[in-house]
Amino acid sequence: MEKVTIYDLARELKISVGTIDRAIHNRTGISEKTRSRVMELVSKYNYKPNKAAKYLSLSAKKHKIGIIIQSMPEFFWKDIKRGIKAAENELRDFGLELMLLEINRYRTLEDLSGGMKKLMDDGAHGIVMVPLNNPAIKKLIVQAKENGIPVATLNDDIEDSERVFYIGPHMRQSGRMVGELMGRFLPEGGNVVTITGSMESYVYRERLEGFQEIIQQHHKNVRIVANYTFDQETLGENVDSLINGILKTMVDIRGIYNIDGASLENTGRLIKSQGLGGKVILLGHEIFSNVEKLIAENVIQATISQDPYMQGYQAVKHMFNLLSEKKLPEFDRLYTRIDTIFRESIVDRNCLINPYY
């Protein structure tokens, strides 16, 4: 017999496709006698449910996923949003309803708290968010869970919370990768500094700690002499002035680790303007056209990319699976690819099947 479909089972038993689906997935609404008849036939033909057919049977039920992301820096978040939209297009016919909230700046506690409350009030069945590592956000995640609304984190994580899964880069590992690169670029050692945005970001703190681990373990002749932290949201256009001030006060600095991707281009541009391109090793995260140019000019020696498109796409897919199939991912942390991009990694973008941005 050719491969049996759910429609073949329904015809043989003279019942509806919906009844077959309810029996197979152990849902209510049918008698035990009918359920037994269906399962006997499933066993007889070794029937395996088709996932697409199952989604079609569920498409009448809406699965509302609320998403909170920020819009700055635009070069990075536009790629995460492309991934989100791709998943939405793929799953819309299967009952996905997306509720996207974009914070039109760098995220704040007020923005995130207000966004979560709005999504819960508007009937979200699940929430994907870019969090801050803050007790108030943890409390809201618990509140959502108590109301039957699972919360997942995207791109940034939150410690010791009730979130159901995280999708994004392995933060500490990406910092360790930069530590290894710095050690290899400075085989004779030397003084280095780090520059980053707020340490309220779990990502930035993990990157810094990973970087420090590798330097201490394997490159002891590289000395971290200062860690500069600033609030990019507060500084706004004054970021250049702050970084420029840091560069001018540096004495005998051989390397800079720019921990947050948002200001890597600023740092590279200012290093170039001071004639330090190639003289100071500059390493960081993320890539877009301006960073690519600075890599080509050897002002930035390498950057770590974290596949933002796939972060957005997979976050929606896994939350949809959780809502529609009650199926959690195998792991509570799902890491996206992290790539080291050097000058020789850059080729004609028109020829790349899967470009970095």
Side-chain angles (χ1 to χ4, degrees):
M1 184 176 180
E2 294 182 2
K3 185 177 179 180
V4 172
T5 70
I6 194 170
Y7 301 99
D8 295 324
L9 300 181
R11 277 193 296 268
E12 184 163 337
L13 293 174
K14 296 182 173 58
I15 57 179
S16 70
V17 169
T19 300
I20 299 284
D21 184 79
R22 284 193 291 275
I24 290 171
H25 298 105
N26 200 30
R27 286 192 282 273
T28 59
I30 62 171
S31 69
E32 286 306 314
K33 181 179 178 180
T34 301
R35 189 188 308 278
S36 177
R37 291 174 61 210
V38 170
M39 297 314 294
E40 284 178 9
L41 211 59
V42 165
S43 177
K44 175 182 175 181
Y45 293 126
N46 193 28
Y47 170 73
K48 303 293 183 185
N50 178 274
K51 193 167 186 178
K54 181 170 69 172
Y55 279 159
L56 285 170
S57 74
L58 296 172
S59 62
K61 180 180 179 181
K62 292 296 181 183
H63 301 288
K64 297 181 181 180
I65 298 178
I67 299 182
I68 307 173
I69 60 172
Q70 65 189 62
S71 59
M72 299 290 288
E74 192 268 343
F75 73 82
F76 180 82
W77 291 99
K78 72 176 183 181
D79 285 337
I80 283 191
K81 193 161 69 170
R82 281 197 310 112
I84 290 169
K85 291 296 184 182
E88 180 186 25
N89 291 337
E90 184 178 314
L91 296 169
R92 185 186 292 115
D93 290 342
F94 302 125
L96 171 63
E97 183 177 321
L98 209 59
M99 306 158 69
L100 179 62
L101 295 182
E102 279 190 85
I103 298 169
N104 294 318
R105 52 183 177 178
Y106 297 94
R107 64 194 185 276
T108 66
L109 178 58
E110 181 183 5
D111 291 325
L112 294 176
S113 299
M116 288 187 72
K117 290 172 183 175
K118 175 174 172 50
L119 290 174
M120 286 190 276
D121 289 344
D122 289 348
H125 300 133
I127 295 174
V128 176
M129 67 178 301
V130 186
L132 287 173
N133 194 32
N134 186 287
I137 299 300
K138 295 180 186 181
K139 187 175 179 180
L140 281 170
I141 292 174
V142 170
Q143 181 182 329
K145 180 182 178 181
E146 290 172 348
N147 288 308
I149 305 169
V151 177
T153 53
L154 167 67
N155 186 252
D156 204 340
D157 205 3
I158 184 166
E159 294 177 298
D160 303 319
S161 74
E162 296 293 323
R163 63 105 174 103
V164 287
F165 62 82
Y166 158 79
I167 288 188
H170 191 309
M171 288 86 75
R172 186 171 293 250
Q173 194 65 28
S174 62
R176 289 172 65 89
M177 287 172 66
V178 179
E180 182 64 22
L181 287 172
M182 188 68 78
R184 290 174 180 269
F185 273 113
L186 298 175
E188 303 301 320
N191 297 333
V192 303
V193 300
T194 69
I195 300 174
T196 190
S198 171
M199 279 294 113
E200 196 173 8
S201 166
Y202 182 64
V203 164
Y204 298 163
R205 198 178 74 230
E206 283 287 292
R207 285 176 178 171
L208 175 59
E209 290 179 2
F211 178 76
Q212 292 170 329
E213 283 174 356
I214 288 296
I215 295 298
Q216 291 165 5
Q217 291 170 8
H218 303 297
H219 304 286
K220 295 184 186 297
N221 56 347
V222 174
R223 296 171 296 280
I224 303 171
V225 296
N227 297 306
Y228 295 101
T229 303
F230 61 89
D231 186 334
Q232 190 139 10
E233 173 68 17
T234 302
L235 285 171
E237 295 179 358
N238 294 320
V239 168
D240 272 14
S241 297
L242 182 139
I243 295 175
N244 208 30
I246 292 171
L247 295 177
K248 287 182 177 179
T249 58
M250 292 191 320
V251 178
D252 193 29
I253 297 299
R254 299 289 314 283
I256 299 173
Y257 174 24
N258 210 109
I259 296 173
D260 71 282
S263 62
L264 176 60
E265 187 263 338
N266 302 65
T267 305
R269 179 166 35 80
L270 293 169
I271 281 179
K272 180 181 176 182
S273 71
Q274 294 186 24
L276 297 174
K279 299 176 183 177
V280 174
I281 300 301
L282 175 58
L283 307 174
H285 296 268
E286 319 316 341
I287 185 167
F288 69 110
S289 57
N290 290 348
V291 169
E292 189 175 90
K293 290 174 184 175
L294 291 167
I295 292 174
E297 295 171 355
N298 198 38
V299 174
I300 299 172
Q301 279 66 45
T303 188
I304 307 294
S305 176
Q306 54 176 301
D307 203 358
Y309 173 91
M310 195 54 67
Q311 290 185 47
Y313 177 79
Q314 291 294 342
V316 175
K317 289 272 286 189
H318 280 285
M319 180 57 75
F320 183 81
N321 288 342
L322 175 56
L323 296 176
S324 63
E325 303 181 56
K326 310 302 179 191
K327 181 181 178 182
L328 278 168
E330 184 177 359
F331 305 102
D332 78 326
R333 285 187 175 90
L334 302 169
Y335 298 128
T336 48
R337 192 183 72 229
I338 46 179
D339 300 302
T340 305
I341 303 170
F342 303 99
R343 181 165 55 185
E344 294 306 316
S345 305
I346 298 170
V347 298
D348 185 350
R349 290 183 55 77
N350 295 323
C351 302
L352 287 176
I353 296 172
N354 185 23
Y356 298 117
Y357 62 93

